């Protein structure tokens, strides 16, 4: 596609429920990143996929968070047993190479009530 | 580990005046530096980057940034601010695995 697509754009969930956030990167971009942006805060790195290599999960805040990338394309970020502190905007980005920087999606705003 | 500092939470400037948004960085090796802008309820949009070459980098919407190796700075500049430039600006440095972002600076341009 022309850009990075994320869905849903907004998600309201009850505390304790599981949620899945989807990211469809730009075709041909081998690198895919997930970041989290809490209200009024900067961007917190979560996870990084590069081609067929094992993902770098070092930024995931707890074992309730997981992500996968199927076929080197679409990625899903899953949050299990959501907590109120998980409320944030989750941003996905993709890149063809490090020196090009990233193209970001519009994000998914997650609200846990 | 790499890091980025944006010392100003907010910058206020009058329309038509020049603007500067400050950024300093820390990274081992040669830095790859980026500026992004975020408008309300939107993702981040790329403005410009420094990889190598001229220290003055020109980007989108009339913005430019000056790379200063001795001061480890990469300040964002624009000669004449517009009200529509009001947004949240992020500086970032490429690390071994991913971009590390600063905390952001909110730019408010007054008419």
């Amino acid at each position: 596609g022309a850009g990075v697509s994320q869905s849903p754009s907004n998600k309201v969930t009850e505390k304790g429920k599981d949620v899945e956030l989807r990211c469809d990167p730009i075709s041909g971009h081998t690198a895919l990143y997930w970041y989290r942006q809490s209200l009024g805060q900067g961007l917190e790195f979560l996870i990084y996929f590069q081609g067929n290599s094992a993902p770098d999960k070092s930024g995931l805040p707890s074992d309730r968070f997981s992500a996968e990338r199927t076929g080197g394309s679409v990625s899903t970020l899953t949050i299990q047993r959501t907590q109120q502190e998980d409320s944030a905007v989750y941003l996905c980005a993709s890149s063809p190479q490090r020196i090009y920087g990233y193209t970001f999606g519009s994000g998914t705003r997650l609200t846990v009530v | 580990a790499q890091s980025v500092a944006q010392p100003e939470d907010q910058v206020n400037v009058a329309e038509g005046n020049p603007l500067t948004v400050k950024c300093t960085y820390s990274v081992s090796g040669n830095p790859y530096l980026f500026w992004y802008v975020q408008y309300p309820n939107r993702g981040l949009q790329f403005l410009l980057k420094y990889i190598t070459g001229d220290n003055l980098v020109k980007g989108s919407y009339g913005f430019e940034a000056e790379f200063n190796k001795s001061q480890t700075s990469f300040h964002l500049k624009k000669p004449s601010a517009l009200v529509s430039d009001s947004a949240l600006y992020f500086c970032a440095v490429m690390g071994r695995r991913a971009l590390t972002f600063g905390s952001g600076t909110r730019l408010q341009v007054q008419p």
Side-chain angles (χ1 to χ4, degrees), chain A residues 11-74:
Chain A
K11 176 73 176 178
V12 180
T13 189
E14 293 180 352
K15 178 181 173 181
K17 294 285 181 67
D18 298 351
V19 294
E20 285 189 353
L21 313 179
R22 176 187 168 103
C23 173
D24 199 343
I26 292 173
S27 178
H29 281 195
T30 57
L32 186 148
Y33 306 82
W34 284 97
Y35 284 81
R36 178 168 71 174
Q37 185 178 22
S38 300
L39 185 63
Q41 301 297 311
L43 277 74
E44 175 188 7
F45 167 79
L46 296 178
I47 189 168
Y48 160 45
F49 295 88
Q50 174 61 56
N52 295 320
S53 303
D56 181 337
K57 305 179 182 180
S58 57
L60 295 179
S62 78
D63 59 8
R64 296 186 296 104
F65 288 72
S66 63
E68 63 177 19
R69 188 180 185 190
T70 54
S73 181
V74 173

Side-chain angles (χ1 to χ4, degrees), chain B residues 35-78:
Chain B
W35 276 101
Y36 285 83
V37 60
Q38 186 177 36
Y39 297 100
N41 301 313
R42 301 286 297 277
L44 274 71
Q45 297 179 29
F46 170 81
L47 276 180
L48 50 79
K49 66 181 178 184
Y50 172 83
I51 303 298
T52 186
D54 289 341
N55 289 342
L56 186 64
V57 179
K58 295 189 182 297
S60 307
Y61 312 121
F63 283 93
E64 58 191 27
E66 187 170 9
F67 170 66
N68 188 316
K69 187 173 184 177
S70 62
Q71 297 185 7
T72 61
S73 67
F74 190 55
H75 301 330
L76 181 70
K77 301 180 180 183
K78 187 173 182 180

Side-chain angles (χ1 to χ4, degrees), chain A residues 33 35 37 41-43 45 48 56 58-59 91 98-102 104-106 109, chain B residues 32 34 36 38 41-44 49 51 88 90 94-99 101-103:
Chain A
Y33 306 82
Y35 284 81
Q37 185 178 22
Q41 301 297 311
L43 277 74
F45 167 79
Y48 160 45
D56 181 337
S58 57
L91 293 166
R98 284 159 48 89
I99 64 170
Y100 292 110
Y102 304 165
F104 280 87
S106 296
R109 182 176 298 277
Chain B
Y32 294 169
F34 299 81
Y36 285 83
Q38 186 177 36
N41 301 313
R42 301 286 297 277
L44 274 71
K49 66 181 178 184
I51 303 298
L88 187 57
F90 290 96
M94 181 63 76
R96 182 180 57 81
R97 60 184 184 188
L99 282 175
F101 288 85
S103 55

